[in-house]
Amino acid sequence: MSASYEASSDATSPAPLDTPPTPRVSRGRVGLNLFWRTFFLLALLLVGSILAWLQTLRALEFEPRTLQTAQQIASLVNLSRAALVHADAIARVSLIKTMADQEGVRILPREPGDHFELLDPTALGARLTEELTLRLGPGTIVANNVNGEAGLWVGFTINGDPNWLLMDRSRLSAAGGKTWLIWLITAGALSLAGAAAIARLINRPLKQLSYAANRVRDGDFAASQLDEEVVTSEIREVNIGFNRMAQKLAKLEQDRAVMLAGISHDLRTPLARLRLETEMSVNDDVAREHMVADIVQLDATIDKFLDYARPEHVTLTPVNLHGVVSSCVYAVQNHRELQITMNVPEDLNVMADEVELARVISNLLENARRYGKSADTGTTTVDIAAKGREKWVLVKMRDHGSGVPPEQLASLTKPFFRGDTARTAAAGAGLGLSIVDKTVQRMGGIFALANSSSGGLVAHIQLQRAELPAGKDPKQRLQRPQIKRHLPPRDTDVGPLT
């Protein structure tokens, strides 16, 4: 175990787990859940509708309000003119003072040197000037400033004498500005609140369905029941159908568990009897050995199918990686064709199921023993190395065989896939790497395969790192001595394996 991690982790092409996983960022696309998407669509529709109604009301209000204002101003001018014409000098002065005090209307003589500014050239100003000119005569002047004094000024004549009628400019102001803004904000706030309530009401059944589907995915069928008494008929039918589906899946899961429990007894007991009878009744040594080998292979194939059909849920606990790897290495060191170099820190802990992790390591070692033999020595050399990186632990297991064609790497973890004859010469169920991939995913990790640049296949395993308080060690269920067995040499051995 003297080889270092750097020496045993040659560059691979590709090396998929050399860096911690980062979330994939979708460029040019904003992710929204269904609630916000529904809310924004409803809000856009309501705001657009409010603005359209606002413009419609302003257009419908403009002409009547302009005519009404022009009529009021013209009536005021005509009444003022009539009152002043028919009043004597004393009554005229009193009338002018009363109009100024009570109505805020002043009548002033128009001098030839008066400087005035016409109304602003807006649609309202132009329409008002046009209407007043039509009602009061062609000499009518409408101004907003005379000799520096602001207001609504109307120039008219009384018995040929030019005069000004000064009024408050508020008579000309149309409903708008703050008034329209207040109504717009109020209507918009109420519309957005209504849109949020509607979106929540629409999306609540979908959210409940999504939660129930996740519960079914995790195997929690009891927590996946949906309300079958909802008012909406379509949602009620969906909930009833989903509940029936979940019940059937729960029954299938239960039946599968019962079936798997019975397979061990129903198949292995006859196999054990067959092996015993073969060893006792077959006289031909060669035939007996072949028959026993076939029975052993059948038993191993059953093990593979049971491992692959294992339930999805596992309980993760802190596990000492060095202890698990050492246990698996010790178990296979009686294989003369397998040489293992291990460099795993003794204080490296991961979140995993200890038995499941041992099954992963054992499967990879068996895969390397069968298909990773070096062409020149006929033995398999495996380098196992691990290191911690932030919240993850990276494990690499590399053999020094012929590797795998690059186009077949992605298919190695598929159930029952067979690669080329260089790595699949031995018989088997074709589930070893599929079991590894499925088990690592169940433990929240990532599994990937790559070819080493210097030859051989490299298995990358990434697991969550477990941080334990100082002085506390994880509990171990697998206890193996870490001493390599010294096997007696075979008669056909020429010398020790290097």
Side-chain angles (χ1 to χ4, degrees), residues 14 308 367 371 404-420 423-424 429-438 441 447-451 457:
Y308 188 75
N367 186 79
Y371 313 126
V404 174
E407 63 273 8
Q408 295 185 6
L409 281 173
S411 302
L412 289 180
T413 55
K414 294 180 180 179
F416 312 111
F417 175 80
R418 296 302 183 94
D420 57 18
R423 297 191 65 89
T424 56
L431 289 171
L433 295 179
S434 301
I435 294 171
V436 170
D437 183 44
K438 187 177 180 181
Q441 290 184 24
F447 176 69
L449 296 169
N451 285 316
L457 186 68

Side-chain angles (χ1 to χ4, degrees), residues 32 114 179 203 309 358 381 413:
L32 291 177
D114 289 344
T179 303
N203 294 318
T381 301
T413 55

Side-chain angles (χ1 to χ4, degrees), residues 310-377:
R310 194 175 301 275
E312 296 290 335
H313 180 71
V314 295
T315 301
L316 303 182
T317 57
V319 174
N320 182 263
L321 182 62
H322 183 274
V324 175
V325 176
S326 299
S327 173
C328 297
V329 170
Y330 177 82
V332 297
Q333 283 189 358
N334 60 335
H335 296 293
R336 300 177 186 272
E337 68 271 28
L338 188 62
Q339 299 294 323
I340 302 174
T341 301
M342 191 179 80
N343 181 35
V344 180
E346 296 185 3
D347 60 346
L348 201 57
N349 300 316
V350 296
M351 294 299 297
D353 181 280
E354 189 172 1
V355 176
E356 294 289 319
L357 182 57
R359 183 175 290 108
V360 167
I361 302 298
S362 298
N363 269 285
L364 291 175
L365 288 174
E366 179 63 18
N367 186 79
R369 184 188 70 84
R370 290 184 176 184
Y371 313 126
K373 292 183 173 61
S374 301
D376 51 350
T377 63

Side-chain angles (χ1 to χ4, degrees), residues 373-387:
K373 292 183 173 61
S374 301
D376 51 350
T377 63
T379 61
T380 299
T381 301
V382 179
D383 301 326
I384 306 176
K387 67 176 180 180

Side-chain angles (χ1 to χ4, degrees), residues 75-98:
S75 299
L76 186 59
V77 170
N78 290 329
L79 289 174
S80 301
R81 178 190 290 159
L84 293 175
V85 167
H86 295 91
D88 56 20
I90 297 176
R92 183 179 299 175
V93 173
S94 177
L95 179 60
I96 293 175
K97 187 176 184 304
T98 301

